[in-house]
């Protein structure tokens, strides 16, 4: 990585925290320290309420000035929120049409059943309409981390499902999401779109950013950021990210 980044962006699940889980206090402290020196973005497949529970509610030590430097991009960057000093306001949302939603829901449900991936015992809903994104979660939205990790350790199930759904929805974007999920958005509206919009709104060039994620492989939902040319750093879990930030932060200068 050449010059020090002016903005560091992160995936959320399995990068900043275990899937659907709150930040560990160590990670919360590192993010607050990072907000002192650079802009920070979190861009992931979950909806805003998930970001609130996993990230925002854990940053109790952050000042309004620090929160003003935090950019939240739920549903893979199809939505964008900024802190105004008192609350989080939505800047934009690239919502799916009702037709796109209904076709996406039908395609992923049919494909999951055809492939034998529609589980009988789940924790919460398998399908979720997030406005700008349809998400399939094989074990339900509230499945425990251990069960999700064990469901598809090789990623083969998600890849097969993604490929089957993509054939049915050539006009939409279909990508592997978290450990048990597949996400569907408008064509071309993915994390690369979110990062490009972020560059427009902040005036920070993509080459002055750094993206940290655990799914930078070609079928992962972090890959579009890498393909866009943003400098990236791959991690395996939140502890790996924490160790990386411990080494990165001392070398950064306030922007």
């Amino acid at each position: 990585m050449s010059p020090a980044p002016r903005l560091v962006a992160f995936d959320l699940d399995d990068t900043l925290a275990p899937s659907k889980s709150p930040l560990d206090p160590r990670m919360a402290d590192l993010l607050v320290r990072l907000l002192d020196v650079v802009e920070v973005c979190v861009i992931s497949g979950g909806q805003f309420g998930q970001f609130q529970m996993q990230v925002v509610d854990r940053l109790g030590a952050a000042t309004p000035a620090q929160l003003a430097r935090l950019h939240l991009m739920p549903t893979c960057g199809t939505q964008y929120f900024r802190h105004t000093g008192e609350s989080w306001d939505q800047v934009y949302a690239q919502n799916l049409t009702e037709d796109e939603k209904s076709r996406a829901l039908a395609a992923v449900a049919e494909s999951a059943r055809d492939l034998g991936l529609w589980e009988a015992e789940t924790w919460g809903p398998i399908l979720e309409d997030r406005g700008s994104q349809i998400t399939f979660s094989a074990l339900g939205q509230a499945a425990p981390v251990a069960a999700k990790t064990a469901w598809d350790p090789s990623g083969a199930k998600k890849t097969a499902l993604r490929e089957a759904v993509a054939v049915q929805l050539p006009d939409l974007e279909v990508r592997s999401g978290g450990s048990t999920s597949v996400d569907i958005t408008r064509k071309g509206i993915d994390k690369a779109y979110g990062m490009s919009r972020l560059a427009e709104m902040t005036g920070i060039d993509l080459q002055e950013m750094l993206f940290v994620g655990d799914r930078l492989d070609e079928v992962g939902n972090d890959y579009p950021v890498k393909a866009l040319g943003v400098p990236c750093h791959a991690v395996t879990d939140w502890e790996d990210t924490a160790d990386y930030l411990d080494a990165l932060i001392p070398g950064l200068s306030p922007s």
Side-chain angles (χ1 to χ4, degrees):
M1 186 181 66
S2 36
R6 294 174 56 198
L7 182 148
V8 181
F10 299 90
D11 172 50
L12 179 47
D13 283 348
D14 301 317
T15 296
L16 289 178
S19 181
K20 301 292 192 300
S21 303
L23 296 182
D24 183 89
R26 178 189 176 199
M27 181 59 74
D29 177 67
L30 284 164
L31 285 184
V32 172
R33 286 172 53 199
L34 189 62
L35 285 164
D36 268 338
V37 288
V38 294
E39 304 278 321
V40 174
C41 173
V42 182
I43 179 169
S44 194
Q47 55 188 333
F48 181 74
Q50 202 70 42
F51 278 52
Q52 186 87 38
M53 181 275 288
Q54 289 184 259
V55 180
V56 176
D57 290 349
R58 308 294 288 183
L59 298 180
T63 66
Q66 288 169 323
L67 292 176
R69 296 159 69 89
L70 180 60
H71 309 259
L72 299 182
M73 292 189 143
T75 54
C76 294
T78 59
Q79 299 176 19
Y80 178 39
F81 288 80
R82 293 296 306 274
H83 196 263
T84 62
E86 296 182 356
S87 63
W88 290 93
D89 288 356
Q90 187 178 79
V91 180
Y92 72 70
Q94 289 288 347
N95 289 327
L96 293 162
T97 66
E98 291 306 311
D99 173 67
E100 288 168 335
K101 289 179 184 180
S102 63
R103 289 189 294 111
L105 287 164
V108 74
E110 177 185 340
S111 297
R113 289 190 170 96
D114 288 347
L115 292 168
L117 301 179
W118 191 273
E119 302 292 340
E121 296 185 16
T122 63
W123 292 262
I126 292 175
L127 297 175
E128 188 178 7
D129 176 357
R130 297 178 175 175
S132 56
Q133 177 177 291
I134 297 298
T135 294
F136 166 90
S137 299
L139 300 179
Q141 293 297 321
V145 173
K148 288 169 44 166
T149 302
W151 184 75
D152 187 23
S154 70
K157 293 179 181 178
K158 275 194 310 173
T159 298
L161 180 59
R162 189 207 69 78
E163 291 174 351
V165 175
V167 169
Q168 296 188 57
L169 301 171
D171 60 321
L172 297 177
E173 198 77 45
V174 185
R175 287 205 168 269
S176 296
S179 52
T180 64
S181 64
V182 168
D183 298 324
I184 303 168
T185 62
R186 283 188 171 172
K187 199 74 172 177
I189 306 295
D190 54 19
K191 289 186 180 180
Y193 169 86
M195 295 299 289
S196 296
R197 289 296 302 271
L198 190 61
E200 292 173 12
M201 294 186 206
T202 61
I204 298 174
D205 189 87
L206 292 170
Q207 292 301 309
E208 297 178 292
M209 298 182 181
L210 169 67
F211 178 82
V212 181
D214 72 308
R215 290 301 313 278
L216 287 160
D217 52 289
E218 290 194 13
V219 297
N221 66 355
D222 295 333
Y223 182 74
V225 181
K226 183 177 181 180
L228 185 63
V230 176
C232 293
H233 178 80
V235 294
T236 55
D237 53 32
W238 79 264
E239 291 100 331
D240 191 14
T241 303
D243 291 342
Y244 177 65
L245 291 178
D246 271 331
L248 177 71
I249 291 172
L252 298 176
S253 301
S255 57

